[in-house]
Amino acid sequence: LKPAVHALFKKLKDEELELLVQVVESRGAWESGCVLAPRGDPRGVKQGLPPQVLLCRLFRWPDLHQSHELKHLCYCAGGQGACGDLAGLCCNPHHFSRLAVPETPPPPYLKASCEHENQGMEPAVTPSRRKRLRQGMRGSCWGSLCSPLPDTSLSWSTIKDGCWCKLAYWEYRTRVGRLYAVHEASVNVFCELPWGSGFCLAQLPAAYRSCAVRRARGKIGRGLQLSQEPGGVWAYNRSEHPIFVSSPTLSPPGLPVLKVLPGYSAKVFDYEWAGGRGGWQLPGEGPCDLHSIRISFAKGWGPCYSRQFITSCPCWLEVLLTQPR
């Protein structure tokens, strides 16, 4: 990549190079401007990689190959349909994420775990384990359809106020703090970040936190970004640990939880798919709100994990979407 990078750097203006240095050194900790590269491939470069692929491969993902593996983040001018109006193409490596495709099969270790279960090698269900499973089934309803909390249903007044979703933060089976209303097109959810704006989990008081919760909170870091974009809602993993997502519009249906790696984005809700449908239900978990998303930080759950239900995860987020009239 060395000849291609040198050829590209020679074409960047001094202010573009200075911005690129700041972005790379901060590892995208804050929303920065576009780094504009001249249109067209640098002359004399045999590989012919687009500028955004070249810099993303250099500074973030060495195994990146094609531009279709990338997605513009919502605050990039190129991602707002204005790319054709710009003097150049944005190649800011932190204006992109990699795509986590829902159709991708589960990771190999999950597949192996499920194969063992299919072969009758699952651990024996002891009386204590059976009791915990029953308790999990009874307590695994979330969202406005069946939550015992009176303020989780989004009313018409919420829609009039321009709030497209509300966020609820949970630690195991306990909701911590009040609901956070989101009015902007995107919101960052993070823990103890010294800069940036959004839903800061460190500001939510809790009477008691177990060691497991404190360890999990320490992995949230920069957290994630939720954005409402044409047709749906996207989640971008800004942290250094995976996040796990459950949504009624994720496919295939046999994959109830999607693992999103650091630096990856996934479309976690599709408005067109959800239109005109009723409630949805996961096997053994009871009914759930069709317009809700659940995201666990660093810990997965489901049939192929030791945690069967999201209420067994130390730190998780409930996204309650405003239902269109």
Side-chain angles (χ1 to χ4, degrees):
L1 297 180
K2 189 173 181 179
V5 171
H6 283 182
L8 175 60
F9 284 172
K10 288 179 181 179
K11 290 180 173 290
L12 295 180
K13 298 178 180 179
D14 289 344
E15 55 267 27
E16 306 290 343
L17 287 171
E18 183 177 350
L19 176 59
L20 181 62
V21 170
Q22 295 174 357
V23 168
V24 172
E25 288 182 346
S26 69
R27 298 169 64 188
W30 66 85
E31 296 180 9
S32 56
C34 291
V35 177
L36 298 180
R39 296 181 179 276
D41 295 326
R43 290 174 292 178
V45 179
K46 295 181 180 180
Q47 293 162 305
L49 291 175
Q52 69 273 25
V53 175
L54 186 63
L55 293 191
C56 284
R57 187 172 174 178
L58 177 66
F59 293 116
R60 299 193 69 184
W61 306 293
D63 60 338
L64 182 68
H65 297 292
Q66 302 292 335
S67 58
H68 65 76
E69 301 175 47
L70 296 173
K71 177 192 178 296
H72 280 278
L73 296 178
C74 59
Y75 48 81
C76 177
Q80 302 296 326
C83 195
D85 301 331
L86 298 177
L89 293 171
C90 178
C91 59
N92 184 334
H94 288 278
H95 274 200
F96 295 87
S97 67
R98 294 190 75 171
L99 279 172
V101 184
E103 289 76 16
T104 303
Y109 72 92
L110 287 182
K111 182 178 179 182
S113 174
C114 290
E115 286 176 351
H116 287 314
E117 290 186 0
N118 292 335
Q119 295 168 5
M121 298 181 64
E122 69 275 0
V125 181
T126 62
S128 60
R129 178 177 172 80
R130 187 178 295 110
K131 181 179 179 181
R132 289 198 303 271
L133 288 175
R134 286 201 203 99
Q135 291 172 346
M137 289 181 185
R138 288 198 299 267
S140 58
C141 289
W142 317 282
S144 60
L145 285 182
C146 51
S147 173
L149 299 169
D151 56 342
T152 55
S153 103
L154 303 187
S155 62
W156 170 235
S157 62
T158 297
I159 303 175
K160 283 201 306 182
D161 293 340
C163 169
W164 63 271
C165 79
K166 287 189 176 182
L167 306 179
Y169 169 66
W170 297 75
E171 293 175 356
Y172 291 117
R173 295 171 55 85
T174 303
R175 204 187 80 191
V176 180
R178 300 178 62 85
L179 294 178
Y180 182 91
V182 180
H183 299 272
E184 302 294 331
S186 65
V187 60
N188 294 322
V189 182
F190 52 87
C191 188
E192 300 182 16
L193 195 66
W195 51 78
S197 61
F199 188 23
C200 181
L201 302 181
Q203 296 179 347
L204 303 179
Y208 169 76
R209 285 195 171 103
S210 65
C211 294
V213 170
R214 290 197 295 268
R215 284 195 301 267
R217 283 172 61 91
K219 296 180 180 179
I220 295 175
R222 295 172 183 167
L224 60 93
Q225 180 183 82
L226 290 169
S227 59
Q228 187 186 44
E229 303 182 28
V233 178
W234 286 79
Y236 168 49
N237 186 357
R238 303 175 70 231
S239 74
E240 297 181 358
H241 298 271
I243 60 175
F244 298 83
V245 184
S246 174
S247 165
T249 68
L250 285 175
S251 60
L255 184 63
V257 178
L258 174 67
K259 182 179 182 179
V260 182
L261 297 174
Y264 279 67
S265 286
K267 187 177 183 179
V268 295
F269 194 84
D270 189 310
Y271 286 107
E272 183 178 358
W273 186 98
R277 295 175 182 260
W280 67 298
Q281 182 167 339
L282 290 177
E285 294 198 0
C288 297
D289 186 356
L290 177 65
H291 292 82
S292 66
I293 307 165
R294 287 155 298 283
I295 304 174
S296 174
F297 297 100
K299 303 295 183 182
W301 80 96
C304 297
Y305 292 88
S306 59
R307 299 169 182 83
Q308 296 298 301
F309 309 103
I310 195 170
T311 49
S312 300
C313 296
C315 304
W316 57 282
L317 190 72
E318 185 180 23
V319 184
L320 301 164
L321 300 171
T322 303
Q323 301 183 27
R325 285 178 66 89

